[in-house]
Amino acid sequence: MKEIVLVKYGEMVLKGLNKRTFEDMLTKNIKRRLKSLGHFQLTSAQSTTYITPLEDDTDLGEVVERVGKIFGIAALCRACVCEKDFEDIKVKSVEYLDDILSNAGTFKVNAKRSDKAFPMKSPEICAELGGVLLEKFPNLTVDVKNPEVTVTVEVRDTNAYVHAENIKGAGGLPVGSSGKALLLLSGGIDSPVAGYMMAKRGVHIAAIHYVSPPYTSDRAQLKVETLCQKLTEYCGGIAFFCVPFTEIQEAIKDNCPEEFFTIIMRRLMMEIAQRIAEKDNDLALITGESVGQVASQTMAAMACTDAVCRIPVFRPCVGMDKTEIIDIARKIDTFETSIEPYEDCCTVFTPRHPKVKPRLEDIEKAQSKFDFEPLIQKAVENTEMKTFDYRR
């Protein structure tokens, strides 16, 4: 019995004349994700991608797990391929659904007949197939409002398809369809979530991280690289830029008022990130900031940070509380790594009493007392890059 995976689109269906571009990008993302599992034929029609394995021993469970993390997909399912003949649909439905229906108490049949030339209308398919299944599985009763199992028959252009388990997809838009942006990736909980959320909107992310040895350890950098690798399951390949930041932080400590340390540090991080973004053709920056979470994330502080920015700064977590962010971090498997006790450079020289409502003119005056430009250039020149690819 031939079995395939049906992938149903989400908001891609609203893209009108641009829809084909999104479909092509989604197809490429699926192919990359499934490359190590074997050979597949991918075809698209009627807002659905059909994933057909070309080898008998393909692990379709693993296919579903991987494809379920690809953005741009609203739902997916394993389905039995039938001829567009009701007798074939009946026989294969009983065989294909045996395990799930033998262990269920209630069910209903749902039919979708996109091929209007098929001789039976949708209500007829539901009634006839429902009767067959009731006869074959005496443990079942019909419940059209809240069934344990919904058996779906889709009659399409070339074949009919039967399935009973619809799996929710990752949603969003295909990664790469909305351009590129650079994620300021710390070792904390929030920034990986921010990267995930922007990737869900079709943004292909790169990541930048700042290290300050000897104040930060190799374990802290390894922790961030682990987070980067975990994000590839959703975001695809990620270019990772590691910036030496020790001299800049020491210069801030030696030349700026203590209450402004964090904000000036953030401004210089943004400046370096923009220069890296320009080289990497990234159109925006992404941060994990949430309003009011810490002193550097008050509205006044963020305004002082954004004053140095020449490209957009996306903050997808800005209106979320910590529990919401943690829920997503657990979902994408970054939480346990994020809480490992290896601190990043944001904890270096933390002021005892940071300014929570800074004025931009005060920040600019304090920062101007030292020429940071040579250190910024040096940091950019000595930035190291590596690439993290999806691997499994």
Side-chain angles (χ1 to χ4, degrees), residues 123-301:
E124 294 177 278
I125 297 172
C126 293
E128 291 294 328
L129 184 59
V132 170
L133 296 177
L134 281 172
E135 182 178 344
K136 295 292 183 179
F137 299 96
N139 53 297
L140 291 177
T141 57
V142 175
D143 184 346
V144 297
K145 292 185 177 180
N146 189 31
E148 292 178 44
V149 177
T150 298
V151 175
T152 300
V153 180
E154 300 186 38
V155 182
R156 293 177 172 256
D157 288 344
T158 58
N159 292 93
Y161 304 91
V162 175
H163 55 89
E165 291 183 289
N166 220 32
I167 301 166
K168 186 177 179 181
L173 297 171
V175 169
S177 62
S178 299
K180 292 177 63 182
L182 183 61
L183 170 68
L184 277 74
L185 184 62
S186 71
I189 298 170
D190 306 334
S191 55
V193 171
Y196 162 85
M197 293 175 70
M198 292 309 303
K200 187 173 183 176
R201 299 310 307 155
V203 176
H204 180 197
I205 68 167
I208 186 169
H209 179 67
Y210 302 83
V211 293
S212 294
Y215 306 108
T216 59
S217 68
D218 291 342
R219 294 299 299 271
Q221 180 177 338
L222 181 61
K223 168 184 171 181
V224 175
E225 292 181 0
T226 300
L227 290 171
C228 217
Q229 186 63 58
K230 286 179 175 291
L231 285 175
T232 62
E233 289 207 29
Y234 297 92
C235 306
I238 297 174
F240 176 76
F241 299 93
C242 189
V243 182
F245 205 58
T246 306
E247 290 185 69
I248 291 177
Q249 287 197 282
E250 289 176 338
I252 294 171
K253 177 179 180 293
D254 294 339
N255 297 279
C256 300
E258 182 183 355
E259 65 267 27
F260 295 155
F261 281 1
T262 303
I263 296 173
I264 292 175
M265 178 191 71
R266 294 287 296 176
R267 284 163 59 89
L268 296 175
M269 284 180 168
M270 291 297 209
E271 180 58 45
I272 292 170
Q274 288 175 102
R275 299 189 190 190
I276 299 294
E278 184 177 2
K279 293 182 178 182
D280 193 49
N281 297 315
D282 303 313
L283 301 177
L285 304 179
I286 305 168
T287 78
E289 293 165 298
S290 173
V291 170
Q293 186 169 188
V294 294
S296 64
Q297 296 178 23
T298 63
M299 289 181 65

Side-chain angles (χ1 to χ4, degrees), residues 1-119:
M1 186 182 302
K2 186 177 181 180
E3 189 178 18
I4 69 171
V5 175
L6 298 178
V7 171
K8 309 296 182 67
Y9 303 160
E11 61 183 279
M12 283 169 50
V13 300
L14 306 175
K15 295 304 178 181
L17 296 177
N18 293 323
K19 179 181 172 184
R20 187 62 191 173
T21 301
F22 287 82
E23 287 181 338
D24 290 344
M25 199 159 288
L26 177 61
T27 298
K28 289 177 182 177
N29 291 345
I30 293 173
K31 285 180 177 178
R32 281 193 290 265
R33 197 62 58 89
L34 298 182
K35 186 176 180 180
S36 64
L37 287 181
H39 296 90
F40 300 86
Q41 178 184 19
L42 271 66
T43 55
S44 298
Q46 299 173 311
S47 298
T48 301
T49 290
Y50 303 76
I51 304 176
T52 304
L54 301 180
E55 294 147 353
D56 293 338
D57 60 348
T58 301
D59 185 349
L60 281 186
E62 180 67 15
V63 171
V64 168
E65 183 179 348
R66 293 191 186 188
V67 173
K69 295 179 180 179
I70 298 174
F71 293 125
I73 297 171
L76 65 156
C77 62
R78 296 169 65 162
C80 170
V81 182
C82 307
E83 298 298 324
K84 288 200 297 184
D85 174 82
F86 189 69
E87 289 302 314
D88 192 55
I89 292 172
K90 286 195 304 183
V91 171
K92 288 182 177 175
S93 294
V94 171
E95 181 182 353
Y96 184 64
L97 302 173
D98 181 72
D99 285 345
I100 189 170
L101 292 181
S102 295
N103 294 288
T106 60
F107 85 112
K108 75 172 182 178
V109 178
N110 181 35
K112 300 176 181 179
R113 187 181 64 119
S114 59
D115 179 4
K116 303 306 179 185
F118 190 75

Side-chain angles (χ1 to χ4, degrees), residues 363-383:
I363 297 295
E364 290 177 335
K365 181 179 178 181
Q367 186 175 333
S368 67
K369 290 182 178 180
F370 181 82
D371 183 10
F372 287 97
E373 180 59 27
L375 294 180
I376 292 173
Q377 292 181 11
K378 183 178 179 182
V380 172
E381 290 169 0
N382 291 316
T383 293

